Amino acid sequence: MNRIKKTLDQDKKILSIYFTAGFPQLEDTVSVIKELELNGVDMIEIGLPFSDPLADGPTIQASSTQALVNGMTSSSLFEQLKDIREHVKIPLVIMGYFNPIFQFGVEAFCKKCQEIGIDGLIIPDLPVDVYHQKYQKIFESSGLYNILLITPQTSEERILYIDSVSKGFIYMVSSASTTGAKSGFGKIQTDYFQRISDMDLDNPQIVGFGISNEETFNMATQYNKGAIIGSAFIKVLENKGINGIGEFIKSIRPNN
Amino acid sequence: MNRIKKTLDQDKKILSIYFTAGFPQLEDTVSVIKELELNGVDMIEIGLPFSDPLADGPTIQASSTQALVNGMTSSSLFEQLKDIREHVKIPLVIMGYFNPIFQFGVEAFCKKCQEIGIDGLIIPDLPVDVYHQKYQKIFESSGLYNILLITPQTSEERILYIDSVSKGFIYMVSSASTTGAKSGFGKIQTDYFQRISDMDLDNPQIVGFGISNEETFNMATQYNKGAIIGSAFIKVLENKGINGIGEFIKSIRPNN
Amino acid sequence: MSYNVDKKGYYGEFGGAYIPEMLYPNVEELRKNYLQIMNDPSFVKEFDQLLKDYVGRPSPLYFAKRMSERYKTKIYLKREDLNHTGAHKVNNTIGQILMAQRLGKTRIIAETGAGQHGVATATVCALMGIECIVYMGEIDIARQAPNVARMKMLGAKVIPATSGSKTLKDATNEAIRDWINNPENTHYIIGSVVGPHPYPDMVARFQAVVSEEIQDQLNEKEGVTKPDFIVACVGGGSNAAGAFYHYLDDTEVGLIAVEAAGKGIHSGESAATSVLGKMGIIHGSKTLLMQTGDGQITEPYSISAGLDYPGVGPMHAHLYQSGRAEFISITDDEAMEAGLELCQLEGIIPAIETSHSLAIFKERKFSPDDIVVVNLSGRGDKDLDTYIKHFNL
Amino acid sequence: MSYNVDKKGYYGEFGGAYIPEMLYPNVEELRKNYLQIMNDPSFVKEFDQLLKDYVGRPSPLYFAKRMSERYKTKIYLKREDLNHTGAHKVNNTIGQILMAQRLGKTRIIAETGAGQHGVATATVCALMGIECIVYMGEIDIARQAPNVARMKMLGAKVIPATSGSKTLKDATNEAIRDWINNPENTHYIIGSVVGPHPYPDMVARFQAVVSEEIQDQLNEKEGVTKPDFIVACVGGGSNAAGAFYHYLDDTEVGLIAVEAAGKGIHSGESAATSVLGKMGIIHGSKTLLMQTGDGQITEPYSISAGLDYPGVGPMHAHLYQSGRAEFISITDDEAMEAGLELCQLEGIIPAIETSHSLAIFKERKFSPDDIVVVNLSGRGDKDLDTYIKHFNL
Ligand SMILES: Cc1ncc(COP(=O)(O)O)c(C=O)c1O
Ligand SMILES: Cc1ncc(COP(=O)(O)O)c(C=O)c1O
């Protein structure tokens, strides 16, 4: 059984952390993952860096650029992660733009993930219909969940379609923005969270974009299964390195 | 009887000097004239400076600009020259562009010249036909000769017309050029001099443009009644001032 | 076989809409409506009228006598340089601003490389009184200063793109980010036949006026509606798409696409996508793309800001892969020489982009009877500094 | 009463050929031949063909909707800015280069102020493969750098005029000096309706294509062949002459000539010849002229190099004196504002010369039904630096 499903089946709010592989240093990937699990994070999105991350804001973009300068590639990520399941139990998701995956070969990429024990992929620029028509079989035969995004602008009809194609959870983008763009939620967000919640979808939703601290985490997870922190965490890595992780995670869920 | 005619009736080659009134210093005009006569020059063209002397080369142009900066105007020239005939016997011609004369009023200008004892005018940009139709009567009633130009490109027919309208002499431009542009005469010039000479015009011709020293003076006057030196003389004034005049004039006609 | 787009937005294998979900509503709104809007008689009328009265169309088809004599073939120049704002780009921006109005958008964003598209966008925004933001790579801002000045005069806000190679690709990323952040009121006027479907097709249709006019003009001059060859430079490929459009499926007409070889195709400083690229995804479209083995997009190089793009539009990827068009790469130096040659033979200063097209006459022979139409995509006023420095004039 | 030239080369009292004898053969050769050559069908054909295929004529007559709304009258812009090289100047240089060829001339000289005429001359010389020398005031060389670069690209030799005010007047003096020195092989392409007869008439006839087109275009758009008013700026007066030409003797059409008032008509830094000038002789023509009481020609001033001339052509002197045309003076600041306004209302960056014409809508009221045609004599690319500095953009 896929670790994502197992984790989401638990009766708790999920804290998921995004970070960019190979950042701040090329060899930090595994250490960051271990430190995150150690501090009680429920799930991790490992960012495969890309030269042109057009859905990302400046923080994640800069971390990608640095990771590429450090020498991060799909192959070296797989190399770094090859023994990860000897140490880490929580679900691991790779988040990356489509082109590097396409160049690696979608099938080969999925097989590598399966070998290593990756549980899912988030490919923001692989639209649901292309996935559905061309790649779903490959994912499923590799036991990989494909995590799809919805936004406040996604129509009800399309949400239902995405829900039907999704496995694991739906990545619910909190507002119309690139990563790290806004912080704090207003009535527009809570209305949106409520609206999706009321749709009673097959897949649980985890909220991403704009979550940076205890307050926004609580607000988001009030309506949904969990939340993902990206830019705010990258800033921690940038400023304090791996040593800053424990304190940051505690600040999000102080009562854990 | 007009002094120009008297001078030209003499059986000698005429040396005429052009200089710009008010140059190098505003008050130099009369001194230059006196010094020229003293050194045996036969005729003088007094240049009335103009802001836009488009038939002149750099040397005369620069002297005009300087004279204007010095404050030279038509009125101040007349003022400077008002007693000139108490000192100077040789023919004096004013050479100037049409616009300052036009502004002064052609008739008033001519009357002033007559009062002072100026013998002729050279107005390079007053074409013969306009002169003929509009101004000849005024000139004649003031006893002023209008000196007209011909060039190597002037057609035979037109030369005859110009000759018929001219009084005193014809100003024979040595080559197609602005003042001071070329120096030295070649076969083209001598052929041209010969050709005009052969036309046996009513008016004698005096050559101007490109005469700078004994050699060119002799060459020019071999075919014609005389020659005018302009730029070369201005350079003398520029470099040596009034004191340089004697030596320069002697160098042109050493055997005088 | 058709070389035009299919119903799903693909040219052969290339095209599609590989966009993040955040862009879906925008792109989908456009996809659903663009053909209907473009075919609406009131749209057609307004578009045609503006092209005529404002842009100055038809642009002449000029027989270049002295160039033809030098290269012993019949060379016609399609004078897009005479359009208002100085390049073919405005054909598209006129179309898209009318589209944006009909979609109820009140804010326009655009990316620009050479600045021609930025100027053309700022222009139509001023014309319609609509807010305009243009993203432009920091390097391009420096090397195309006159166009930056023009955009400012026209009231547009120019925002530098400081990431990556700081050129067109990065400006495009920034524009897309802006669009993601402003999904409701903003229309993104893409400047070439790139981006997610329906952009490549929409832009090609707006530019198709070029080949439409060539047909008539050639008929008037030569009694035939088709040339033997059409030559156009390819950055993203919009001027080429426009010049090729009505001849795409007529294989009697040779299509020649000219790319920038920079300092040499294999010098590491090049933008010759057809030679150096592999299939991949850039800016929402599956196409040929210069990239590392690992799928990172390569930083391209060309002396000309408008060709300095690591991909080509999906139409061109397909034209290349299918062999329908001939692709030729021209170096910086060859292009500059050809630009100067046109100045001195025909009295026309071409954009450096265009100079690449003109350089092919030194590379490739044509026969004396061949009619070769070169799409003179733009004028070189924006490039004077570069020319002057290059030739030490 | 006719406002056109008479048989002797005069417009009323103005005009004629006040030239030194050295220029007589050149000017006379031209005078004797120009009408016959211009009326020769082969000349007409070649001229028209080049205007169409090379220059891009007809230039559109564009209804400026947003400007019309702002100023509550019907404003049409005659788009000479869309001509090849970016101004009306090329209409004349195309004509004169064909004239020079037919006169057997092998060397061309020209003067230029804004550089537009220099570029237009360099252009046609390149087109015909004829040597080209352009005289340009040192100050103008500095303030119109882009045009200097363009002339060099086109293979022309640009010689600085360093005397006097170092602007257009002095460049003209230098060109005339060159002509005096090269009477046989050289044709002097004067850039405006100035100089000795037949230049003003010849240039006006070449520019007359502007008003010829306006007649047809207005008829197409408004069902009338004449506007209520035509507005044009006057440096020497060629674009105004072209725009007025077919309406000169039709007094139902109001003619409005706009001059540069520089820093204020009576500031001592102005080029408002109609107000400040008196009759005089400049560059071979009797006309209105800014001069001292002593008949020295005054150094004019305008922010726009193309209006920075102390005279006007004799046609305009006559139009002013007879009251046939209304003369309005516009300051630097007013012009610059009007230029920016056009950018932001209509997406057109005008030459600063042209901006003077556009400024009249703040000065003078028109009624809502009036059809006002403004001759948009040129584009502002050459002036970007000046605009940017002026507005601190
Ligand atoms: C004059 C000119 N030609 C060509 C191009 C290249 O663009 P495209 O390939 O879309 O025609 C540009 C781009 O800015 C341009 O300005
Ligand atoms: C665009 C433009 N308009 C007007 C003028 C003024 O010249 P004219 O009065 O001869 O039209 C110039 C002169 O360079 C010019 O470039």
Side-chain angles (χ1 to χ4, degrees):
Chain A
M1 182 176 171
N2 188 299
R3 291 173 202 88
I4 296 174
K5 181 158 172 40
K6 216 154 66 189
T7 298
L8 295 177
D9 281 352
Q10 295 173 287
D11 183 20
K12 65 179 283 201
K13 297 296 181 183
I14 300 299
L15 170 60
S16 184
I17 295 290
Y18 169 92
F19 81 104
T20 305
F23 179 84
Q25 305 292 326
L26 180 60
E27 297 301 334
D28 285 342
T29 317
V30 171
S31 321
V32 171
I33 293 171
K34 286 183 187 167
E35 187 71 9
L36 284 170
E37 180 173 57
L38 204 69
N39 281 282
V41 160
D42 302 306
M43 185 161 66
I44 299 174
E45 273 100 40
I46 305 165
L48 176 65
F50 182 48
S51 53
D52 295 78
L54 44 77
D56 288 303
T59 306
I60 293 184
Q61 196 189 347
S63 71
S64 290
T65 305
Q66 185 57 49
L68 290 173
V69 170
N70 293 345
M72 184 46 72
T73 64
S74 304
S75 312
S76 49
L77 178 60
F78 289 136
E79 187 59 28
Q80 289 180 346
L81 297 182
K82 73 171 185 296
D83 302 324
I84 195 72
R85 282 304 172 199
E86 293 174 16
H87 312 284
V88 175
K89 304 262 134 4
I90 59 172
L92 298 176
V93 173
I94 289 181
M95 180 159 187
Y97 288 83
F98 190 45
N99 197 53
I101 297 168
F102 183 73
Q103 289 312 312
F104 198 93
V106 179
E107 189 152 6
F109 197 93
C110 289
K111 285 282 161 279
K112 266 288 180 192
C113 287
Q114 186 179 28
E115 266 170 57
I116 288 168
I118 297 296
D119 304 289
L121 291 178
I122 304 175
I123 308 173
D125 59 344
L126 178 63
V128 55
D129 55 329
V130 178
Y131 168 72
H132 190 44
Q133 285 157 34
K134 291 191 84 167
Y135 301 114
Q136 189 165 3
K137 288 218 181 78
I138 296 173
F139 275 57
E140 286 178 354
S141 77
S142 315
L144 279 176
Y145 285 1
N146 184 34
I147 314 297
L148 295 162
L149 276 56
I150 64 170
T151 82
Q153 278 71 40
T154 311
S155 68
E156 192 154 322
E157 191 186 344
R158 188 165 170 85
I159 292 173
L160 293 175
Y161 172 43
I162 287 172
D163 189 36
S164 77
V165 175
S166 292
K167 277 236 169 113
F169 65 92
I170 288 173
Y171 192 133
M172 195 167 145
V173 175
S174 67
S175 62
S177 70
T178 46
T179 56
K182 307 203 175 119
S183 62
F185 295 131
K187 185 164 158 40
I188 294 177
Q189 270 76 39
T190 54
D191 284 357
Y192 161 54
F193 296 160
Q194 186 67 57
R195 173 166 60 86
I196 304 301
S197 173
D198 291 348
M199 283 180 76
D200 213 0
L201 299 175
D202 288 345
N203 290 280
Q205 305 96 49
I206 298 190
V207 181
F209 289 43
I211 295 154
S212 58
N213 52 24
E214 184 187 2
E215 186 197 343
T216 43
F217 178 77
N218 288 340
M219 208 158 178
T221 52
Q222 206 179 317
Y223 301 86
N224 319 289
K225 183 64 191 167
I228 303 170
I229 301 180
S231 298
F233 179 72
I234 299 284
K235 278 189 199 135
V236 170
L237 284 184
E238 228 174 81
N239 295 332
K240 309 199 185 157
I242 293 175
N243 296 335
I245 295 178
E247 190 192 343
F248 178 71
I249 299 300
K250 257 178 224 106
S251 79
I252 305 295
R253 287 201 295 202
N255 310 323
N256 215 26
Chain B
M1 179 176 170
N2 188 300
R3 293 173 201 86
I4 295 174
K5 181 155 171 43
K6 216 154 69 190
T7 298
L8 293 177
D9 281 351
Q10 297 173 290
D11 183 19
K12 64 179 281 204
K13 297 296 181 183
I14 300 299
L15 171 60
S16 184
I17 295 290
Y18 168 93
F19 81 105
T20 305
F23 178 85
Q25 305 292 328
L26 180 61
E27 298 300 336
D28 286 342
T29 318
V30 172
S31 321
V32 171
I33 293 171
K34 287 183 183 167
E35 186 72 10
L36 282 170
E37 179 171 59
L38 205 70
N39 282 282
V41 160
D42 302 306
M43 183 159 70
I44 299 176
E45 272 100 41
I46 304 165
L48 177 64
F50 182 49
S51 54
D52 296 78
L54 44 76
D56 287 302
T59 306
I60 293 182
Q61 193 188 349
S63 72
S64 289
T65 305
Q66 185 57 49
L68 291 173
V69 170
N70 293 346
M72 183 46 71
T73 65
S74 304
S75 313
S76 48
L77 178 60
F78 289 136
E79 188 58 31
Q80 288 180 348
L81 296 181
K82 72 174 189 291
D83 302 326
I84 195 73
R85 283 300 171 204
E86 293 176 12
H87 313 282
V88 175
K89 304 261 130 19
I90 58 173
L92 297 177
V93 173
I94 289 181
M95 180 159 187
Y97 289 83
F98 189 44
N99 196 54
I101 298 167
F102 183 73
Q103 289 313 312
F104 198 94
V106 178
E107 189 150 8
F109 197 95
C110 289
K111 286 281 161 280
K112 267 286 175 192
C113 287
Q114 186 179 27
E115 266 172 57
I116 289 170
I118 297 295
D119 304 288
L121 291 179
I122 305 175
I123 308 173
D125 58 344
L126 179 63
V128 56
D129 55 329
V130 179
Y131 168 73
H132 190 45
Q133 286 157 33
K134 291 191 84 165
Y135 301 115
Q136 189 164 7
K137 289 219 178 76
I138 298 174
F139 274 59
E140 286 178 355
S141 78
S142 315
L144 278 178
Y145 285 1
N146 183 33
I147 313 297
L148 295 162
L149 277 53
I150 63 170
T151 82
Q153 277 72 40
T154 310
S155 68
E156 191 152 321
E157 192 187 342
R158 187 164 171 86
I159 291 173
L160 294 174
Y161 172 43
I162 287 172
D163 189 36
S164 78
V165 176
S166 292
K167 277 235 169 114
F169 63 94
I170 288 174
Y171 192 133
M172 192 167 145
V173 175
S174 67
S175 61
S177 70
T178 46
T179 55
K182 308 210 173 110
S183 63
F185 295 133
K187 186 165 156 37
I188 294 177
Q189 271 75 41
T190 53
D191 284 359
Y192 160 57
F193 296 161
Q194 186 66 58
R195 172 165 63 85
I196 304 300
S197 174
D198 290 349
M199 283 181 75
D200 215 359
L201 299 175
D202 288 346
N203 291 281
Q205 304 96 51
I206 298 191
V207 181
F209 289 43
I211 296 154
S212 58
N213 53 24
E214 184 186 5
E215 188 198 340
T216 43
F217 179 78
N218 288 341
M219 209 156 175
T221 52
Q222 204 178 321
Y223 301 85
N224 318 292
K225 183 65 191 168
I228 303 170
I229 300 181
S231 298
F233 180 71
I234 298 285
K235 280 192 197 127
V236 169
L237 284 184
E238 225 173 82
N239 297 331
K240 309 196 183 159
I242 293 175
N243 296 336
I245 294 179
E247 190 192 345
F248 178 72
I249 299 299
K250 258 180 221 106
S251 78
I252 305 293
R253 289 201 295 204
N255 311 321
N256 215 28
Chain C
M1 176 169 190
S2 166
Y3 296 93
N4 217 321
V5 73
D6 67 20
K7 287 211 179 90
K8 293 188 165 164
Y10 281 84
Y11 299 82
E13 301 181 68
F14 302 99
Y18 292 78
I19 47 165
E21 189 60 32
M22 295 80 110
L23 291 180
Y24 182 82
N26 284 323
V27 173
E28 182 62 9
E29 180 186 22
L30 191 62
R31 191 192 63 78
K32 273 199 194 133
N33 293 297
Y34 83 109
L35 287 179
Q36 194 192 321
I37 293 176
M38 284 182 75
N39 291 328
D40 185 295
S42 87
F43 183 97
V44 172
K45 190 172 163 219
E46 202 176 347
F47 182 58
D48 289 352
Q49 189 83 31
L50 282 172
L51 287 187
K52 177 165 176 273
D53 291 348
Y54 185 70
V55 173
R57 303 205 70 90
S59 70
L61 185 69
Y62 166 67
F63 177 66
K65 187 156 161 286
R66 297 181 72 213
M67 261 196 91
S68 296
E69 279 162 10
R70 176 162 302 176
Y71 291 107
K72 300 190 174 50
T73 189
K74 290 194 198 164
I75 302 175
Y76 281 91
L77 304 176
K78 180 62 176 162
R79 299 291 304 277
E80 296 299 297
D81 62 311
L82 292 179
N83 292 345
H84 181 48
T85 71
H88 67 290
K89 296 285 182 187
V90 73
N91 302 325
N92 170 42
T93 61
I94 292 275
Q96 285 205 46
I97 199 76
L98 297 178
M99 181 69 65
Q101 284 183 321
R102 278 159 180 78
L103 294 172
K105 305 296 180 180
T106 56
R107 180 174 175 273
I108 296 293
I109 56 172
E111 88 295 338
T112 196
Q116 287 303 122
H117 174 59
V119 169
T121 304
T123 296
V124 297
C125 288
L127 180 64
M128 300 303 176
I130 297 183
E131 182 188 0
C132 179
I133 290 103
V134 179
Y135 292 91
M136 186 169 187
E138 219 172 33
I139 288 184
D140 292 337
I141 287 182
R143 65 179 162 174
Q144 308 276 235
N147 275 342
V148 177
R150 293 166 81 197
M151 286 184 266
K152 288 183 182 167
M153 284 290 292
L154 294 161
K157 193 166 160 201
V158 180
I159 301 185
T162 57
S163 62
S165 55
K166 304 180 173 54
T167 62
L168 181 52
K169 157 176 94 70
D170 312 285
T172 310
N173 291 338
E174 290 304 332
I176 292 176
R177 288 191 182 106
D178 181 312
W179 208 20
I180 288 175
N181 284 300
N182 298 281
E184 320 253 271
N185 65 344
T186 299
H187 176 71
Y188 176 20
I189 301 192
I190 295 185
S192 192
V193 286
V194 301
H197 179 69
Y199 275 102
D201 184 44
M202 179 174 68
V203 176
R205 285 169 187 264
F206 287 138
Q207 291 291 359
V209 65
V210 175
S211 51
E212 193 182 318
E213 289 174 3
I214 291 173
Q215 292 182 322
D216 290 347
Q217 290 169 325
L218 215 51
N219 197 18
E220 193 187 300
K221 290 185 195 302
E222 295 276 351
V224 293
T225 57
K226 50 188 171 189
D228 297 290
F229 296 93
I230 305 182
V231 184
C233 63
V234 174
S238 67
N239 89 81
F244 296 169
Y245 198 86
H246 287 83
Y247 303 109
L248 278 175
D249 295 336
D250 181 349
T251 51
E252 284 185 13
V253 179
L255 307 179
I256 301 180
V258 185
E259 292 181 315
K263 300 191 175 162
I265 294 182
H266 300 290
S267 66
E269 299 191 72
S270 165
T273 305
S274 69
V275 185
L276 301 170
K278 281 187 303 177
M279 190 189 277
I281 284 91
I282 183 172
H283 298 141
S285 171
K286 187 187 276 184
T287 187
L288 286 176
L289 175 57
M290 288 167 56
Q291 51 187 312
T292 63
D294 194 45
Q296 306 298 339
I297 298 174
T298 307
E299 299 186 359
Y301 164 81
S302 164
I303 195 170
S304 104
L307 303 185
D308 197 354
Y309 185 70
V312 291
M315 173 197 280
H316 298 291
H318 186 227
L319 291 175
Y320 174 73
Q321 213 200 31
S322 63
R324 171 68 186 95
E326 186 178 338
F327 277 66
I328 295 182
S329 307
I330 293 294
T331 65
D332 288 356
D333 286 346
E334 290 165 345
M336 296 302 277
E337 284 298 336
L340 189 63
E341 183 180 73
L342 189 74
C343 292
Q344 299 185 349
L345 282 182
E346 299 289 349
I348 301 169
I349 307 175
I352 298 177
E353 289 78 11
T354 311
S355 296
H356 286 74
S357 311
L358 297 163
I360 67 149
F361 294 102
K362 284 223 165 65
E363 296 290 306
R364 190 195 186 292
K365 292 282 155 284
F366 296 92
S367 46
D369 289 343
D370 281 344
I371 297 173
V372 184
V373 174
V374 180
N375 196 20
L376 205 77
S377 58
R379 58 172 142 92
D381 296 56
K382 67 188 181 63
D383 296 315
L384 287 171
D385 280 356
T386 312
Y387 276 122
I388 296 285
K389 269 186 211 135
H390 188 88
F391 292 112
N392 240 318
L393 288 179
Chain D
M1 175 167 190
S2 167
Y3 296 93
N4 217 321
V5 73
D6 68 19
K7 287 214 180 87
K8 293 188 165 164
Y10 282 84
Y11 299 82
E13 301 183 67
F14 302 99
Y18 292 79
I19 47 167
E21 190 59 30
M22 296 79 113
L23 290 180
Y24 182 81
N26 284 323
V27 173
E28 183 63 7
E29 181 187 21
L30 191 63
R31 191 192 64 77
K32 272 199 194 135
N33 293 295
Y34 83 109
L35 286 179
Q36 193 191 322
I37 291 176
M38 285 182 73
N39 291 328
D40 185 295
S42 86
F43 182 95
V44 172
K45 189 172 162 221
E46 201 176 347
F47 182 59
D48 289 350
Q49 188 82 31
L50 281 172
L51 288 187
K52 177 164 176 273
D53 292 347
Y54 185 70
V55 173
R57 300 206 73 90
S59 71
L61 185 69
Y62 165 67
F63 177 66
K65 188 158 160 285
R66 298 182 69 210
M67 262 195 88
S68 297
E69 280 162 10
R70 176 163 301 178
Y71 291 107
K72 301 193 173 49
T73 188
K74 288 194 201 166
I75 302 174
Y76 280 90
L77 304 176
K78 179 63 176 161
R79 299 291 305 276
E80 295 299 297
D81 62 311
L82 292 180
N83 291 344
H84 182 48
T85 72
H88 67 289
K89 296 283 181 187
V90 73
N91 303 324
N92 170 41
T93 61
I94 291 273
Q96 286 206 45
I97 198 77
L98 297 178
M99 181 69 66
Q101 284 183 322
R102 276 159 181 78
L103 294 172
K105 305 295 180 180
T106 57
R107 181 175 175 274
I108 296 294
I109 57 172
E111 88 296 339
T112 197
Q116 287 303 120
H117 174 60
V119 168
T121 304
T123 295
V124 297
C125 288
L127 180 65
M128 299 302 177
I130 297 182
E131 183 187 359
C132 179
I133 290 101
V134 179
Y135 292 91
M136 186 170 188
E138 221 172 32
I139 288 184
D140 292 338
I141 286 182
R143 65 179 162 171
Q144 308 276 231
N147 275 343
V148 177
R150 292 166 82 196
M151 287 185 265
K152 287 183 181 168
M153 283 291 293
L154 293 162
K157 193 168 161 195
V158 180
I159 301 184
T162 57
S163 62
S165 55
K166 303 181 175 52
T167 61
L168 180 53
K169 156 175 96 67
D170 312 285
T172 309
N173 290 340
E174 290 305 331
I176 292 175
R177 289 190 182 105
D178 180 313
W179 208 20
I180 288 175
N181 284 301
N182 297 281
E184 319 253 274
N185 65 344
T186 298
H187 176 71
Y188 176 20
I189 300 191
I190 295 185
S192 193
V193 287
V194 302
H197 179 69
Y199 275 103
D201 184 45
M202 178 174 68
V203 176
R205 285 170 186 263
F206 286 138
Q207 292 291 359
V209 65
V210 175
S211 51
E212 193 183 318
E213 290 174 1
I214 291 173
Q215 293 182 320
D216 290 347
Q217 290 169 324
L218 215 51
N219 197 16
E220 194 187 300
K221 290 186 195 301
E222 296 275 353
V224 295
T225 59
K226 50 189 171 186
D228 297 290
F229 295 93
I230 305 184
V231 184
C233 63
V234 174
S238 66
N239 89 81
F244 295 168
Y245 199 85
H246 286 84
Y247 303 109
L248 277 174
D249 295 337
D250 181 348
T251 51
E252 285 185 12
V253 178
L255 306 180
I256 302 179
V258 185
E259 291 182 317
K263 299 188 176 166
I265 293 181
H266 300 291
S267 65
E269 298 190 73
S270 164
T273 304
S274 70
V275 185
L276 302 171
K278 281 188 302 179
M279 191 188 277
I281 285 91
I282 182 172
H283 298 142
S285 172
K286 186 186 276 186
T287 188
L288 287 175
L289 175 58
M290 287 166 56
Q291 51 186 311
T292 64
D294 196 44
Q296 307 298 340
I297 298 175
T298 307
E299 299 187 1
Y301 164 82
S302 164
I303 194 169
S304 106
L307 302 184
D308 196 355
Y309 185 72
V312 292
M315 173 198 280
H316 298 292
H318 186 227
L319 291 176
Y320 174 74
Q321 213 199 32
S322 63
R324 170 67 184 96
E326 185 178 338
F327 278 64
I328 295 182
S329 308
I330 293 295
T331 65
D332 289 356
D333 287 346
E334 290 165 344
M336 296 302 275
E337 285 297 336
L340 189 63
E341 182 180 72
L342 189 73
C343 292
Q344 298 185 350
L345 281 183
E346 299 290 349
I348 300 169
I349 307 174
I352 298 177
E353 290 78 10
T354 312
S355 296
H356 286 75
S357 313
L358 297 163
I360 67 149
F361 293 102
K362 284 225 167 63
E363 295 291 304
R364 187 194 188 293
K365 293 281 154 281
F366 297 92
S367 46
D369 288 343
D370 281 345
I371 296 173
V372 184
V373 174
V374 180
N375 196 19
L376 204 76
S377 58
R379 59 171 142 95
D381 295 58
K382 68 187 181 60
D383 296 315
L384 287 172
D385 280 357
T386 312
Y387 277 122
I388 295 285
K389 268 185 213 134
H390 188 87
F391 292 110
N392 239 317
L393 288 180

